[in-house]
Amino acid sequence: MGDGDDDDLAAVPSGPVRVRVPAKINLHLGVGPARPDGYHELHTVYHAISLYDEITARPGDTLTLTMQGLGVGELALDDSNLVIRAANALAATAKVPAQARLHLRKQIPLAGGLAGGSADAAATLVALDTLWGTNLGRDELARIAATLGSDIPFLLYGGTALGTGRGEAVSPVLARANRWSWVVAFADGGLSTPKVYGELDRLRAEGRAPAPLGSSDELLSALRQRDPAVLAEALGNDLQAAAISLRPQLAETLAVGDKAGALASLVSGSGPTCVFLARDDAHGADVAAALTESGLCRGVQLAHGPVHGARIG
Ligand code: ATP
């Protein structure tokens, strides 16, 4: 064994590797027509917010997954779980045995429109790239991520980023540092992302969907102005009408936020989570109090963005 190999071995940790990963919202989600492969062409602006899942990876003889938090008893922990799929994809690419004990601490709700499953996959790639000493780095991990799901590459990088294609082609938005205050309102139960896209296609075919959003240019220029009132005007989500059509109560939740003075109220991704832009955290606390009082939400939380993507520590 040469010196280089010794160095590589020394770099592989034997203890747990813990990775925290944020949820995403879409500041702009423009949905084009369905492509021949069934995916819709997207132009979106992703934004990572301070609501986190956590993956801990330890050495093991086989590949196992345990979990705590939201979704226990509901989320399968077998090969269908995005955590296991991400681990197997990394092992296959790096040609290493897929062996690790993985534990998921879940705070991002299932099927909430916050890309929680994608976040867990991104965290797994980062954790195992370190535990296994494969050291592929973010860009190579992003290539593996794109084969697993459209939102996963973004969650490796975090921040605010433009997504094109089916969302997997990500380029960071070089906005001057700013801290945006959000209120996140969780709903009971989830919404299936494919069903929401299907509902949008149906509404469009019947001429009942709002006009599709244009490009993300207005949103990008609003981000540069660093004024939450300007950003509020530019936020938009083509999936919102479809999510409300499937879950009419979401319109009431959005109306509570509007009435409480939120600068903007919108469905996050495919829903049913709703997000509200506030002037600052104190204003956010007022909006959150009104949403809690309405009794329409399973829970309400303050968050801020942008935050980093999947990271050790
Ligand atoms: P997206 O907006 O990316 O579609 P979402 O936030 O609406 O995501 P997720 O919770 O990310 O929904 O996942 C949707 C489905 O993916 C779940 O209902 C579940 O069947 C499957 N899934 C697989 N692995 C996971 C995981 N680790 N966490 C959550 N869901 C997972």
Side-chain angles (χ1 to χ4, degrees), residues 24 26 53 65 67 74-76 80-83 85 104 106 108-121 151 191-194 197 268-272:
K24 67 86 195 154
N26 303 78
D53 277 0
L65 173 61
M67 76 171 290
E74 195 183 331
L75 185 61
S80 68
N81 196 293
L82 278 160
V83 169
R85 291 181 52 210
L104 166 62
K106 199 153 185 58
I108 307 174
L110 297 191
L114 296 164
S118 301
D120 301 343
D151 295 340
L191 268 179
S192 144
T193 304
Y197 276 96
S268 173
S270 52

PDB file of all heavy atoms in Angstrom, residues 24 26 53 65 67 74-76 80-83 85 104 106 108-121 151 191-194 197 268-272, ligand 1:
ATOM      1  N   LYS A  24     -36.850  23.131   0.688  1.00  0.00           N
ATOM      2  CA  LYS A  24     -36.866  24.189  -0.339  1.00  0.00           C
ATOM      3  C   LYS A  24     -38.282  24.717  -0.515  1.00  0.00           C
ATOM      4  O   LYS A  24     -39.272  24.002  -0.307  1.00  0.00           O
ATOM      5  CB  LYS A  24     -36.311  23.706  -1.677  1.00  0.00           C
ATOM      6  CG  LYS A  24     -37.144  22.640  -2.423  1.00  0.00           C
ATOM      7  CD  LYS A  24     -38.254  23.186  -3.303  1.00  0.00           C
ATOM      8  CE  LYS A  24     -39.233  22.098  -3.711  1.00  0.00           C
ATOM      9  NZ  LYS A  24     -40.559  22.473  -4.036  1.00  0.00           N
ATOM     10  N   ASN A  26     -40.244  27.357  -3.645  1.00  0.00           N
ATOM     11  CA  ASN A  26     -39.995  27.920  -4.978  1.00  0.00           C
ATOM     12  C   ASN A  26     -40.486  29.358  -4.973  1.00  0.00           C
ATOM     13  O   ASN A  26     -41.672  29.606  -4.735  1.00  0.00           O
ATOM     14  CB  ASN A  26     -40.743  27.138  -6.061  1.00  0.00           C
ATOM     15  CG  ASN A  26     -40.376  25.666  -6.069  1.00  0.00           C
ATOM     16  OD1 ASN A  26     -40.855  24.901  -5.238  1.00  0.00           O
ATOM     17  ND2 ASN A  26     -39.536  25.270  -6.992  1.00  0.00           N
ATOM     18  N   ASP A  53     -34.027  18.506   7.864  1.00  0.00           N
ATOM     19  CA  ASP A  53     -33.911  17.087   8.186  1.00  0.00           C
ATOM     20  C   ASP A  53     -32.441  16.815   8.483  1.00  0.00           C
ATOM     21  O   ASP A  53     -31.564  17.619   8.124  1.00  0.00           O
ATOM     22  CB  ASP A  53     -34.351  16.204   7.001  1.00  0.00           C
ATOM     23  CG  ASP A  53     -35.863  16.004   6.951  1.00  0.00           C
ATOM     24  OD1 ASP A  53     -36.567  16.548   7.817  1.00  0.00           O
ATOM     25  OD2 ASP A  53     -36.325  15.312   6.016  1.00  0.00           O
ATOM     26  N   LEU A  65     -31.604   1.528   7.447  1.00  0.00           N
ATOM     27  CA  LEU A  65     -32.148   2.870   7.695  1.00  0.00           C
ATOM     28  C   LEU A  65     -33.146   2.810   8.844  1.00  0.00           C
ATOM     29  O   LEU A  65     -34.039   1.952   8.870  1.00  0.00           O
ATOM     30  CB  LEU A  65     -32.846   3.388   6.420  1.00  0.00           C
ATOM     31  CG  LEU A  65     -33.618   4.704   6.542  1.00  0.00           C
ATOM     32  CD1 LEU A  65     -32.715   5.866   6.953  1.00  0.00           C
ATOM     33  CD2 LEU A  65     -34.329   5.046   5.222  1.00  0.00           C
ATOM     34  N   MET A  67     -35.434   5.683  11.552  1.00  0.00           N
ATOM     35  CA  MET A  67     -35.843   7.096  11.535  1.00  0.00           C
ATOM     36  C   MET A  67     -36.582   7.492  12.790  1.00  0.00           C
ATOM     37  O   MET A  67     -37.071   6.646  13.543  1.00  0.00           O
ATOM     38  CB  MET A  67     -36.693   7.396  10.290  1.00  0.00           C
ATOM     39  CG  MET A  67     -38.114   6.898  10.353  1.00  0.00           C
ATOM     40  SD  MET A  67     -39.117   7.515   8.951  1.00  0.00           S
ATOM     41  CE  MET A  67     -39.280   9.266   9.329  1.00  0.00           C
ATOM     42  N   GLU A  74     -45.134   5.476   8.616  1.00  0.00           N
ATOM     43  CA  GLU A  74     -45.844   5.817   7.382  1.00  0.00           C
ATOM     44  C   GLU A  74     -44.885   5.695   6.193  1.00  0.00           C
ATOM     45  O   GLU A  74     -45.247   5.236   5.120  1.00  0.00           O
ATOM     46  CB  GLU A  74     -46.286   7.281   7.519  1.00  0.00           C
ATOM     47  CG  GLU A  74     -47.327   7.762   6.556  1.00  0.00           C
ATOM     48  CD  GLU A  74     -47.597   9.256   6.800  1.00  0.00           C
ATOM     49  OE1 GLU A  74     -47.440   9.734   7.954  1.00  0.00           O
ATOM     50  OE2 GLU A  74     -47.912   9.939   5.836  1.00  0.00           O
ATOM     51  N   LEU A  75     -43.637   6.115   6.441  1.00  0.00           N
ATOM     52  CA  LEU A  75     -42.632   6.143   5.377  1.00  0.00           C
ATOM     53  C   LEU A  75     -41.887   4.800   5.352  1.00  0.00           C
ATOM     54  O   LEU A  75     -41.326   4.384   6.374  1.00  0.00           O
ATOM     55  CB  LEU A  75     -41.654   7.288   5.661  1.00  0.00           C
ATOM     56  CG  LEU A  75     -40.588   7.564   4.614  1.00  0.00           C
ATOM     57  CD1 LEU A  75     -41.216   7.952   3.279  1.00  0.00           C
ATOM     58  CD2 LEU A  75     -39.670   8.681   5.105  1.00  0.00           C
ATOM     59  N   ALA A  76     -41.887   4.113   4.201  1.00  0.00           N
ATOM     60  CA  ALA A  76     -41.177   2.833   4.078  1.00  0.00           C
ATOM     61  C   ALA A  76     -39.672   3.087   4.209  1.00  0.00           C
ATOM     62  O   ALA A  76     -39.157   4.078   3.679  1.00  0.00           O
ATOM     63  CB  ALA A  76     -41.503   2.196   2.741  1.00  0.00           C
ATOM     64  N   SER A  80     -37.343   1.517  -1.496  1.00  0.00           N
ATOM     65  CA  SER A  80     -38.112   2.588  -2.135  1.00  0.00           C
ATOM     66  C   SER A  80     -37.768   3.946  -1.528  1.00  0.00           C
ATOM     67  O   SER A  80     -38.073   4.986  -2.114  1.00  0.00           O
ATOM     68  CB  SER A  80     -39.621   2.332  -1.987  1.00  0.00           C
ATOM     69  OG  SER A  80     -40.002   2.454  -0.626  1.00  0.00           O
ATOM     70  N   ASN A  81     -37.156   3.934  -0.341  1.00  0.00           N
ATOM     71  CA  ASN A  81     -36.845   5.215   0.307  1.00  0.00           C
ATOM     72  C   ASN A  81     -35.705   5.906  -0.438  1.00  0.00           C
ATOM     73  O   ASN A  81     -34.705   5.283  -0.803  1.00  0.00           O
ATOM     74  CB  ASN A  81     -36.468   4.982   1.772  1.00  0.00           C
ATOM     75  CG  ASN A  81     -36.525   6.278   2.555  1.00  0.00           C
ATOM     76  OD1 ASN A  81     -35.731   7.191   2.322  1.00  0.00           O
ATOM     77  ND2 ASN A  81     -37.488   6.371   3.461  1.00  0.00           N
ATOM     78  N   LEU A  82     -35.855   7.197  -0.619  1.00  0.00           N
ATOM     79  CA  LEU A  82     -34.843   7.951  -1.374  1.00  0.00           C
ATOM     80  C   LEU A  82     -33.476   7.919  -0.692  1.00  0.00           C
ATOM     81  O   LEU A  82     -32.453   8.070  -1.353  1.00  0.00           O
ATOM     82  CB  LEU A  82     -35.311   9.398  -1.564  1.00  0.00           C
ATOM     83  CG  LEU A  82     -36.280   9.574  -2.742  1.00  0.00           C
ATOM     84  CD1 LEU A  82     -37.089  10.861  -2.605  1.00  0.00           C
ATOM     85  CD2 LEU A  82     -35.498   9.577  -4.059  1.00  0.00           C
ATOM     86  N   VAL A  83     -33.455   7.714   0.617  1.00  0.00           N
ATOM     87  CA  VAL A  83     -32.173   7.606   1.337  1.00  0.00           C
ATOM     88  C   VAL A  83     -31.422   6.354   0.859  1.00  0.00           C
ATOM     89  O   VAL A  83     -30.236   6.408   0.521  1.00  0.00           O
ATOM     90  CB  VAL A  83     -32.428   7.552   2.858  1.00  0.00           C
ATOM     91  CG1 VAL A  83     -31.174   7.166   3.621  1.00  0.00           C
ATOM     92  CG2 VAL A  83     -32.983   8.884   3.342  1.00  0.00           C
ATOM     93  N   ARG A  85     -32.039   4.678  -1.895  1.00  0.00           N
ATOM     94  CA  ARG A  85     -31.748   4.794  -3.334  1.00  0.00           C
ATOM     95  C   ARG A  85     -30.506   5.640  -3.560  1.00  0.00           C
ATOM     96  O   ARG A  85     -29.669   5.327  -4.416  1.00  0.00           O
ATOM     97  CB  ARG A  85     -32.967   5.373  -4.066  1.00  0.00           C
ATOM     98  CG  ARG A  85     -34.135   4.367  -4.087  1.00  0.00           C
ATOM     99  CD  ARG A  85     -35.340   4.900  -4.808  1.00  0.00           C
ATOM    100  NE  ARG A  85     -34.983   5.395  -6.117  1.00  0.00           N
ATOM    101  CZ  ARG A  85     -35.611   6.383  -6.748  1.00  0.00           C
ATOM    102  NH1 ARG A  85     -36.648   6.964  -6.185  1.00  0.00           N
ATOM    103  NH2 ARG A  85     -35.217   6.773  -7.922  1.00  0.00           N
ATOM    104  N   LEU A 104     -32.377   8.757  10.045  1.00  0.00           N
ATOM    105  CA  LEU A 104     -33.008   9.980   9.543  1.00  0.00           C
ATOM    106  C   LEU A 104     -33.816  10.632  10.659  1.00  0.00           C
ATOM    107  O   LEU A 104     -34.650   9.973  11.290  1.00  0.00           O
ATOM    108  CB  LEU A 104     -33.936   9.597   8.370  1.00  0.00           C
ATOM    109  CG  LEU A 104     -34.950  10.625   7.873  1.00  0.00           C
ATOM    110  CD1 LEU A 104     -34.254  11.875   7.337  1.00  0.00           C
ATOM    111  CD2 LEU A 104     -35.834  10.009   6.784  1.00  0.00           C
ATOM    112  N   LYS A 106     -36.509  13.420  10.949  1.00  0.00           N
ATOM    113  CA  LYS A 106     -37.334  14.109   9.952  1.00  0.00           C
ATOM    114  C   LYS A 106     -38.216  15.188  10.572  1.00  0.00           C
ATOM    115  O   LYS A 106     -39.038  14.916  11.443  1.00  0.00           O
ATOM    116  CB  LYS A 106     -38.192  13.065   9.225  1.00  0.00           C
ATOM    117  CG  LYS A 106     -38.719  13.559   7.920  1.00  0.00           C
ATOM    118  CD  LYS A 106     -38.968  12.414   6.952  1.00  0.00           C
ATOM    119  CE  LYS A 106     -39.374  12.944   5.603  1.00  0.00           C
ATOM    120  NZ  LYS A 106     -38.404  13.836   4.987  1.00  0.00           N
ATOM    121  N   ILE A 108     -39.182  17.772   8.114  1.00  0.00           N
ATOM    122  CA  ILE A 108     -39.847  18.278   6.907  1.00  0.00           C
ATOM    123  C   ILE A 108     -41.010  17.324   6.601  1.00  0.00           C
ATOM    124  O   ILE A 108     -40.795  16.119   6.457  1.00  0.00           O
ATOM    125  CB  ILE A 108     -38.874  18.322   5.701  1.00  0.00           C
ATOM    126  CG1 ILE A 108     -37.596  19.099   6.064  1.00  0.00           C
ATOM    127  CG2 ILE A 108     -39.548  18.924   4.479  1.00  0.00           C
ATOM    128  CD1 ILE A 108     -36.504  19.072   4.988  1.00  0.00           C
ATOM    129  N   PRO A 109     -42.246  17.843   6.530  1.00  0.00           N
ATOM    130  CA  PRO A 109     -43.383  16.937   6.346  1.00  0.00           C
ATOM    131  C   PRO A 109     -43.343  16.174   5.020  1.00  0.00           C
ATOM    132  O   PRO A 109     -42.798  16.666   4.032  1.00  0.00           O
ATOM    133  CB  PRO A 109     -44.599  17.871   6.399  1.00  0.00           C
ATOM    134  CG  PRO A 109     -44.082  19.248   6.213  1.00  0.00           C
ATOM    135  CD  PRO A 109     -42.640  19.248   6.629  1.00  0.00           C
ATOM    136  N   LEU A 110     -43.944  14.974   5.032  1.00  0.00           N
ATOM    137  CA  LEU A 110     -44.007  14.139   3.824  1.00  0.00           C
ATOM    138  C   LEU A 110     -44.976  14.742   2.820  1.00  0.00           C
ATOM    139  O   LEU A 110     -46.036  15.225   3.206  1.00  0.00           O
ATOM    140  CB  LEU A 110     -44.578  12.752   4.164  1.00  0.00           C
ATOM    141  CG  LEU A 110     -43.822  11.838   5.110  1.00  0.00           C
ATOM    142  CD1 LEU A 110     -44.439  10.444   5.063  1.00  0.00           C
ATOM    143  CD2 LEU A 110     -42.369  11.802   4.765  1.00  0.00           C
ATOM    144  N   ALA A 111     -44.608  14.643   1.550  1.00  0.00           N
ATOM    145  CA  ALA A 111     -45.488  15.119   0.459  1.00  0.00           C
ATOM    146  C   ALA A 111     -46.043  16.501   0.770  1.00  0.00           C
ATOM    147  O   ALA A 111     -47.225  16.776   0.575  1.00  0.00           O
ATOM    148  CB  ALA A 111     -46.621  14.110   0.222  1.00  0.00           C
ATOM    149  N   GLY A 112     -45.171  17.390   1.236  1.00  0.00           N
ATOM    150  CA  GLY A 112     -45.595  18.723   1.658  1.00  0.00           C
ATOM    151  C   GLY A 112     -45.288  19.812   0.653  1.00  0.00           C
ATOM    152  O   GLY A 112     -45.588  20.981   0.899  1.00  0.00           O
ATOM    153  N   GLY A 113     -44.628  19.461  -0.460  1.00  0.00           N
ATOM    154  CA  GLY A 113     -44.224  20.498  -1.411  1.00  0.00           C
ATOM    155  C   GLY A 113     -42.958  21.209  -0.983  1.00  0.00           C
ATOM    156  O   GLY A 113     -42.626  22.282  -1.476  1.00  0.00           O
ATOM    157  N   LEU A 114     -42.221  20.580  -0.056  1.00  0.00           N
ATOM    158  CA  LEU A 114     -40.981  21.167   0.467  1.00  0.00           C
ATOM    159  C   LEU A 114     -39.767  20.312   0.091  1.00  0.00           C
ATOM    160  O   LEU A 114     -38.656  20.577   0.555  1.00  0.00           O
ATOM    161  CB  LEU A 114     -41.065  21.287   2.002  1.00  0.00           C
ATOM    162  CG  LEU A 114     -42.142  22.236   2.535  1.00  0.00           C
ATOM    163  CD1 LEU A 114     -42.394  21.987   4.023  1.00  0.00           C
ATOM    164  CD2 LEU A 114     -41.741  23.691   2.311  1.00  0.00           C
ATOM    165  N   ALA A 115     -39.985  19.291  -0.721  1.00  0.00           N
ATOM    166  CA  ALA A 115     -38.921  18.408  -1.222  1.00  0.00           C
ATOM    167  C   ALA A 115     -38.150  17.695  -0.111  1.00  0.00           C
ATOM    168  O   ALA A 115     -36.936  17.517  -0.191  1.00  0.00           O
ATOM    169  CB  ALA A 115     -37.953  19.175  -2.121  1.00  0.00           C
ATOM    170  N   GLY A 116     -38.874  17.266   0.915  1.00  0.00           N
ATOM    171  CA  GLY A 116     -38.221  16.592   2.040  1.00  0.00           C
ATOM    172  C   GLY A 116     -37.503  15.315   1.632  1.00  0.00           C
ATOM    173  O   GLY A 116     -36.377  15.052   2.082  1.00  0.00           O
ATOM    174  N   GLY A 117     -38.124  14.501   0.805  1.00  0.00           N
ATOM    175  CA  GLY A 117     -37.485  13.257   0.375  1.00  0.00           C
ATOM    176  C   GLY A 117     -36.220  13.548  -0.428  1.00  0.00           C
ATOM    177  O   GLY A 117     -35.189  12.886  -0.269  1.00  0.00           O
ATOM    178  N   SER A 118     -36.298  14.566  -1.271  1.00  0.00           N
ATOM    179  CA  SER A 118     -35.128  14.971  -2.057  1.00  0.00           C
ATOM    180  C   SER A 118     -34.026  15.474  -1.128  1.00  0.00           C
ATOM    181  O   SER A 118     -32.837  15.209  -1.346  1.00  0.00           O
ATOM    182  CB  SER A 118     -35.516  16.090  -3.028  1.00  0.00           C
ATOM    183  OG  SER A 118     -36.539  15.661  -3.884  1.00  0.00           O
ATOM    184  N   ALA A 119     -34.415  16.208  -0.094  1.00  0.00           N
ATOM    185  CA  ALA A 119     -33.441  16.713   0.880  1.00  0.00           C
ATOM    186  C   ALA A 119     -32.719  15.541   1.547  1.00  0.00           C
ATOM    187  O   ALA A 119     -31.491  15.550   1.702  1.00  0.00           O
ATOM    188  CB  ALA A 119     -34.154  17.564   1.930  1.00  0.00           C
ATOM    189  N   ASP A 120     -33.476  14.508   1.906  1.00  0.00           N
ATOM    190  CA  ASP A 120     -32.867  13.352   2.572  1.00  0.00           C
ATOM    191  C   ASP A 120     -31.879  12.647   1.638  1.00  0.00           C
ATOM    192  O   ASP A 120     -30.821  12.177   2.075  1.00  0.00           O
ATOM    193  CB  ASP A 120     -33.949  12.360   3.021  1.00  0.00           C
ATOM    194  CG  ASP A 120     -34.940  13.007   3.981  1.00  0.00           C
ATOM    195  OD1 ASP A 120     -34.617  14.074   4.542  1.00  0.00           O
ATOM    196  OD2 ASP A 120     -36.043  12.445   4.151  1.00  0.00           O
ATOM    197  N   ALA A 121     -32.224  12.574   0.363  1.00  0.00           N
ATOM    198  CA  ALA A 121     -31.317  11.949  -0.607  1.00  0.00           C
ATOM    199  C   ALA A 121     -30.033  12.767  -0.721  1.00  0.00           C
ATOM    200  O   ALA A 121     -28.917  12.218  -0.744  1.00  0.00           O
ATOM    201  CB  ALA A 121     -32.003  11.837  -1.970  1.00  0.00           C
ATOM    202  N   ASP A 151     -35.312  17.686  -7.806  1.00  0.00           N
ATOM    203  CA  ASP A 151     -34.977  18.715  -6.809  1.00  0.00           C
ATOM    204  C   ASP A 151     -33.682  18.412  -6.054  1.00  0.00           C
ATOM    205  O   ASP A 151     -33.212  19.237  -5.271  1.00  0.00           O
ATOM    206  CB  ASP A 151     -36.087  18.826  -5.751  1.00  0.00           C
ATOM    207  CG  ASP A 151     -37.409  19.313  -6.319  1.00  0.00           C
ATOM    208  OD1 ASP A 151     -37.404  19.918  -7.400  1.00  0.00           O
ATOM    209  OD2 ASP A 151     -38.440  19.085  -5.661  1.00  0.00           O
ATOM    210  N   LEU A 191     -49.959  16.131  -0.382  1.00  0.00           N
ATOM    211  CA  LEU A 191     -50.531  16.148  -1.730  1.00  0.00           C
ATOM    212  C   LEU A 191     -49.516  15.453  -2.634  1.00  0.00           C
ATOM    213  O   LEU A 191     -48.318  15.754  -2.571  1.00  0.00           O
ATOM    214  CB  LEU A 191     -50.720  17.587  -2.210  1.00  0.00           C
ATOM    215  CG  LEU A 191     -52.057  18.292  -1.954  1.00  0.00           C
ATOM    216  CD1 LEU A 191     -52.015  19.727  -2.488  1.00  0.00           C
ATOM    217  CD2 LEU A 191     -53.222  17.543  -2.582  1.00  0.00           C
ATOM    218  N   SER A 192     -50.003  14.542  -3.476  1.00  0.00           N
ATOM    219  CA  SER A 192     -49.089  13.833  -4.377  1.00  0.00           C
ATOM    220  C   SER A 192     -48.658  14.776  -5.509  1.00  0.00           C
ATOM    221  O   SER A 192     -49.503  15.357  -6.210  1.00  0.00           O
ATOM    222  CB  SER A 192     -49.803  12.603  -4.939  1.00  0.00           C
ATOM    223  OG  SER A 192     -49.417  12.377  -6.260  1.00  0.00           O
ATOM    224  N   THR A 193     -47.340  14.904  -5.683  1.00  0.00           N
ATOM    225  CA  THR A 193     -46.826  15.818  -6.712  1.00  0.00           C
ATOM    226  C   THR A 193     -47.357  15.447  -8.113  1.00  0.00           C
ATOM    227  O   THR A 193     -47.849  16.326  -8.836  1.00  0.00           O
ATOM    228  CB  THR A 193     -45.285  15.833  -6.673  1.00  0.00           C
ATOM    229  OG1 THR A 193     -44.882  16.181  -5.349  1.00  0.00           O
ATOM    230  CG2 THR A 193     -44.700  16.820  -7.662  1.00  0.00           C
ATOM    231  N   PRO A 194     -47.302  14.162  -8.528  1.00  0.00           N
ATOM    232  CA  PRO A 194     -47.830  13.828  -9.864  1.00  0.00           C
ATOM    233  C   PRO A 194     -49.313  14.185 -10.013  1.00  0.00           C
ATOM    234  O   PRO A 194     -49.753  14.625 -11.077  1.00  0.00           O
ATOM    235  CB  PRO A 194     -47.627  12.307  -9.972  1.00  0.00           C
ATOM    236  CG  PRO A 194     -46.572  11.981  -8.954  1.00  0.00           C
ATOM    237  CD  PRO A 194     -46.669  13.003  -7.873  1.00  0.00           C
ATOM    238  N   TYR A 197     -49.594  17.960 -10.720  1.00  0.00           N
ATOM    239  CA  TYR A 197     -49.264  18.256 -12.128  1.00  0.00           C
ATOM    240  C   TYR A 197     -50.407  17.807 -13.044  1.00  0.00           C
ATOM    241  O   TYR A 197     -50.771  18.498 -13.998  1.00  0.00           O
ATOM    242  CB  TYR A 197     -47.957  17.568 -12.541  1.00  0.00           C
ATOM    243  CG  TYR A 197     -46.722  18.369 -12.173  1.00  0.00           C
ATOM    244  CD1 TYR A 197     -46.023  18.107 -11.007  1.00  0.00           C
ATOM    245  CD2 TYR A 197     -46.273  19.400 -12.992  1.00  0.00           C
ATOM    246  CE1 TYR A 197     -44.894  18.840 -10.655  1.00  0.00           C
ATOM    247  CE2 TYR A 197     -45.148  20.146 -12.656  1.00  0.00           C
ATOM    248  CZ  TYR A 197     -44.465  19.856 -11.485  1.00  0.00           C
ATOM    249  OH  TYR A 197     -43.370  20.598 -11.157  1.00  0.00           O
ATOM    250  N   SER A 268     -46.456  26.371  -1.447  1.00  0.00           N
ATOM    251  CA  SER A 268     -45.073  25.958  -1.699  1.00  0.00           C
ATOM    252  C   SER A 268     -45.047  24.780  -2.668  1.00  0.00           C
ATOM    253  O   SER A 268     -45.607  23.720  -2.364  1.00  0.00           O
ATOM    254  CB  SER A 268     -44.426  25.551  -0.370  1.00  0.00           C
ATOM    255  OG  SER A 268     -43.153  25.005  -0.614  1.00  0.00           O
ATOM    256  N   GLY A 269     -44.411  24.952  -3.813  1.00  0.00           N
ATOM    257  CA  GLY A 269     -44.294  23.853  -4.786  1.00  0.00           C
ATOM    258  C   GLY A 269     -45.657  23.254  -5.092  1.00  0.00           C
ATOM    259  O   GLY A 269     -46.613  23.959  -5.422  1.00  0.00           O
ATOM    260  N   SER A 270     -45.766  21.922  -4.914  1.00  0.00           N
ATOM    261  CA  SER A 270     -47.031  21.247  -5.201  1.00  0.00           C
ATOM    262  C   SER A 270     -47.964  21.238  -3.988  1.00  0.00           C
ATOM    263  O   SER A 270     -49.027  20.621  -4.040  1.00  0.00           O
ATOM    264  CB  SER A 270     -46.737  19.820  -5.668  1.00  0.00           C
ATOM    265  OG  SER A 270     -45.896  19.162  -4.745  1.00  0.00           O
ATOM    266  N   GLY A 271     -47.579  21.919  -2.890  1.00  0.00           N
ATOM    267  CA  GLY A 271     -48.432  22.001  -1.703  1.00  0.00           C
ATOM    268  C   GLY A 271     -48.442  20.683  -0.942  1.00  0.00           C
ATOM    269  O   GLY A 271     -47.780  19.729  -1.337  1.00  0.00           O
ATOM    270  N   PRO A 272     -49.222  20.635   0.147  1.00  0.00           N
ATOM    271  CA  PRO A 272     -50.165  21.642   0.630  1.00  0.00           C
ATOM    272  C   PRO A 272     -49.565  22.658   1.606  1.00  0.00           C
ATOM    273  O   PRO A 272     -50.303  23.475   2.133  1.00  0.00           O
ATOM    274  CB  PRO A 272     -51.221  20.792   1.352  1.00  0.00           C
ATOM    275  CG  PRO A 272     -50.426  19.641   1.933  1.00  0.00           C
ATOM    276  CD  PRO A 272     -49.326  19.371   0.927  1.00  0.00           C
TER     277      PRO A 272
HETATM  278  P1  ATP B   1     -41.549  17.226  -4.137  1.00  0.00           P
HETATM  279  O1  ATP B   1     -42.028  18.647  -4.062  1.00  0.00           O
HETATM  280  O2  ATP B   1     -40.069  17.064  -4.410  1.00  0.00           O
HETATM  281  O3  ATP B   1     -42.391  16.322  -4.957  1.00  0.00           O
HETATM  282  P2  ATP B   1     -42.730  16.723  -1.583  1.00  0.00           P
HETATM  283  O4  ATP B   1     -42.176  17.624  -0.517  1.00  0.00           O
HETATM  284  O5  ATP B   1     -44.100  17.054  -2.066  1.00  0.00           O
HETATM  285  O6  ATP B   1     -41.655  16.653  -2.705  1.00  0.00           O
HETATM  286  P3  ATP B   1     -41.591  14.367  -0.405  1.00  0.00           P
HETATM  287  O7  ATP B   1     -41.887  14.257   1.042  1.00  0.00           O
HETATM  288  O8  ATP B   1     -40.242  14.844  -0.785  1.00  0.00           O
HETATM  289  O9  ATP B   1     -42.731  15.248  -1.080  1.00  0.00           O
HETATM  290  O10 ATP B   1     -41.767  12.949  -1.104  1.00  0.00           O
HETATM  291  C1  ATP B   1     -42.894  12.505  -1.761  1.00  0.00           C
HETATM  292  C2  ATP B   1     -42.949  10.982  -1.733  1.00  0.00           C
HETATM  293  O11 ATP B   1     -41.651  10.402  -1.917  1.00  0.00           O
HETATM  294  C3  ATP B   1     -43.414  10.468  -0.389  1.00  0.00           C
HETATM  295  O12 ATP B   1     -44.811  10.430  -0.314  1.00  0.00           O
HETATM  296  C4  ATP B   1     -42.803   9.067  -0.339  1.00  0.00           C
HETATM  297  O13 ATP B   1     -43.667   8.142  -0.931  1.00  0.00           O
HETATM  298  C5  ATP B   1     -41.547   9.155  -1.213  1.00  0.00           C
HETATM  299  N1  ATP B   1     -40.288   9.116  -0.407  1.00  0.00           N
HETATM  300  C6  ATP B   1     -39.264   8.289  -0.589  1.00  0.00           C
HETATM  301  N2  ATP B   1     -38.291   8.521   0.302  1.00  0.00           N
HETATM  302  C7  ATP B   1     -38.683   9.532   1.082  1.00  0.00           C
HETATM  303  C8  ATP B   1     -38.115  10.211   2.180  1.00  0.00           C
HETATM  304  N3  ATP B   1     -36.901   9.908   2.682  1.00  0.00           N
HETATM  305  N4  ATP B   1     -38.825  11.214   2.732  1.00  0.00           N
HETATM  306  C9  ATP B   1     -40.043  11.552   2.229  1.00  0.00           C
HETATM  307  N5  ATP B   1     -40.620  10.929   1.202  1.00  0.00           N
HETATM  308  C10 ATP B   1     -39.972   9.927   0.615  1.00  0.00           C
END
